[in-house]
């Protein structure tokens, strides 16, 4: 049956967030704006490409899908991984 009750101490716990939900959060004003860019910092989140993103934003997250990264850059933003 394998190791029961074993917890990997090196596992990265990452939740997922779609661009659609991220755009809704931006529209609700949950992030600060700085020099025409919205500063988004999500240290334990992977950004997925479902939906559209139309905000100039500097997005820092644990990971991005390739399409999500492309859509953020197309909107005039930038991406950085933690």
């Amino acid at each position: 049956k394998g190791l029961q009750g074993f917890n990997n101490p090196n596992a990265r716990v990452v939740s997922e967030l779609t661009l659609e939900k991220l755009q809704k959060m931006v529209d609700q004003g949950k992030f600060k704006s700085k020099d025409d860019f919205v500063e988004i910092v999500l240290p334990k989140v992977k950004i997925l490409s479902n939906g559209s993103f139309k905000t100039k934003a500097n997005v820092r997250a644990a990971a991005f899908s390739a399409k999500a990264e492309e859509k953020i850059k197309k909107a005039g933003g930038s991406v950085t991984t933690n």
Side-chain angles (χ1 to χ4, degrees):
K1 278 193 166 187
L3 298 173
Q4 295 178 347
F6 176 77
N7 291 322
N8 184 352
N10 298 320
R12 285 179 52 189
V13 178
V14 177
S15 58
E16 297 175 339
L17 182 67
T18 64
L19 283 177
E20 180 180 4
K21 289 181 182 177
L22 185 59
Q23 183 65 54
K24 284 182 183 178
M25 292 169 72
V26 169
D27 293 342
Q28 293 170 354
K30 298 207 179 216
F31 302 104
K32 294 180 182 177
S33 287
K34 183 178 179 184
D35 300 329
D36 289 342
F37 280 89
V38 177
E39 295 290 329
I40 301 172
V41 180
L42 303 166
K44 294 188 176 190
V45 175
K46 179 176 182 177
I47 307 296
L48 302 178
S49 70
N50 298 5
S52 62
F53 194 74
K54 58 185 184 291
T55 305
K56 284 185 179 180
N58 295 325
V59 184
R60 287 181 46 197
F64 297 87
S65 70
K67 283 257 191 183
E69 191 171 331
E70 182 182 311
K71 287 180 180 182
I72 292 169
K73 288 180 179 177
K74 188 181 263 189
S78 65
V79 297
T80 309
T81 55
N82 296 352

